[in-house]
Amino acid sequence: MKVVSQILVRIPLILWAFIVIFPLIWMFMGAFKSNAEIFTSPWSMPTDFSITNFERAWNDYNIGRAFLNSFFVTVLGSFLTLILSIPTAYALERVRSKFGEVLINVYLASMMIPSVLGWIPLFFLLMKFNLLDNLWALSLVYAISHVPFTIFILVGFIGNIPKELEEAAVVDGMSPYGILFKIVTPLIKSGIMTVTILNAISYWNEFFMALILLQTESKNTLGVAMNLLKIDAQYDSAWGVLFAGLCIAVIPIIVFYSIFQRHIVKGMTEGAIK
């Protein structure tokens, strides 16, 4: 009965894995096929593993530039999120006051508000400050939008740190900033890695904010560029190029998540215990 129960549990997992993996395999195969080969033998292996589709997607359809733009906003947005969130989370956790409790509740409440409600006011705000079509401004918008989530995660990690360590540092003459960056920050490394990975994946895949706030084709991120490529593929019959573009957009996330998924699970587990 134990063996039967294990088999019954694994069957749905195997089916789900097949449903998820098969489209990816089909996409990778299509990236090496010509349009004629995609229509005549869509399920077979490519006869010639040519990288022509990748070259066309990278150079002719602006995927290369969009890849660099997405990399820029992802790295900068992740860095700005940590700069804004780590001191705030430390202050909210250690400096207990009525105002701090209210502020924590405000951060938590902001996570429940659909982001779509802020798109129009944000558009006009950035237009007023002449920050539309600006990758730096987009990175800042990404960072601020993920500050509540990042604070929510980091507060749990900081709460696990014994206050006696900080009190000993104060006795030794260390400043509050020294305590934050030399003692607290290294001890919450797992939490920082967890939120950084989750935020980076979110920034890389983001589409709507980039579509609204960016207006120049040379500044498009991967999500916007892939949407334009999808439209062009319908008229140019560039289906192999579309598959290649999808591979360029997906492969970094698959590799990144495969490398760091252990840190995500470890960080979420440690942060849940307080």
Side-chain angles (χ1 to χ4, degrees):
M1 290 299 297
K2 183 177 180 180
V3 174
V4 173
S5 63
Q6 291 178 349
I7 294 175
L8 292 177
V9 169
R10 284 172 171 75
I11 288 177
L13 298 177
I14 294 173
L15 293 176
W16 176 251
F18 177 79
I19 293 172
V20 173
I21 295 174
F22 180 76
L24 295 176
I25 296 175
W26 187 65
M27 178 185 67
F28 291 138
M29 292 192 304
F32 296 97
K33 294 181 179 181
S34 63
N35 289 330
E37 193 175 0
I38 290 174
F39 286 104
T40 56
S41 54
W43 310 112
S44 63
M45 293 292 294
T47 57
D48 181 21
F49 285 88
S50 174
I51 61 172
T52 303
N53 290 329
F54 290 92
E55 293 176 347
R56 291 185 60 195
W58 189 271
N59 299 317
D60 299 340
Y61 290 90
N62 203 36
I63 298 300
R65 182 63 183 177
F67 184 94
L68 297 178
N69 292 339
S70 288
F71 181 80
F72 174 79
V73 298
T74 298
V75 173
L76 181 59
S78 301
F79 176 75
L80 291 176
T81 304
L82 294 179
I83 293 298
L84 296 172
S85 301
I86 293 176
T88 306
Y90 177 72
L92 292 176
E93 171 59 29
R94 288 297 189 247
V95 183
R96 291 293 182 176
S97 64
K98 292 184 178 180
F99 177 76
E101 295 293 336
V102 172
L103 192 57
I104 290 177
N105 292 330
V106 170
Y107 279 120
L108 294 178
S110 65
M111 295 172 58
M112 309 302 169
I113 301 175
S115 59
V116 64
L117 299 178
W119 290 350
I120 295 177
L122 180 62
F123 178 86
F124 286 105
L125 178 64
L126 294 180
M127 183 174 63
K128 182 177 180 180
F129 289 98
N130 196 27
L131 290 176
L132 288 178
D133 200 28
N134 189 312
L135 292 176
W136 292 83
L138 180 64
S139 302
L140 181 60
V141 170
Y142 284 170
I144 293 175
S145 65
H146 282 69
V147 163
F149 167 75
T150 306
I151 290 176
F152 173 73
I153 298 297
L154 293 182
V155 163
F157 282 89
I158 295 174
N160 292 330
I161 300 176
K163 294 182 180 180
E164 289 75 13
L165 293 176
E166 300 169 42
E167 294 172 355
V170 172
V171 172
D172 292 338
M174 185 173 290
S175 66
Y177 291 102
I179 295 173
L180 173 60
F181 293 110
K182 294 182 180 180
I183 296 179
V184 175
T185 301
L187 292 176
I188 60 171
K189 182 175 64 175
S190 297
I192 292 175
M193 291 186 64
T194 299
V195 294
T196 301
I197 294 169
L198 295 177
N199 289 337
I201 293 175
S202 177
Y203 300 156
W204 183 270
N205 294 327
E206 204 280 326
F207 170 72
F208 289 105
M209 293 301 299
L211 179 65
I212 294 171
L213 302 180
L214 299 177
Q215 301 170 343
T216 305
E217 185 176 356
S218 61
K219 296 182 180 179
N220 286 340
T221 58
L222 265 177
V224 180
M226 286 306 307
N227 183 63
L228 296 176
L229 176 55
K230 181 192 70 174
I231 297 174
D232 292 339
Q234 297 176 359
Y235 297 98
D236 300 340
S237 296
W239 301 109
V241 178
L242 177 60
F243 286 135
L246 290 172
C247 290
I248 294 173
V250 168
I251 288 176
I253 289 297
I254 294 177
V255 174
F256 185 74
Y257 188 81
S258 300
I259 294 174
F260 294 104
Q261 63 173 337
R262 179 173 59 86
H263 297 282
I264 296 177
V265 175
K266 178 182 177 182
M268 295 301 290
T269 304
E270 291 180 358
I273 302 174
K274 181 177 178 181

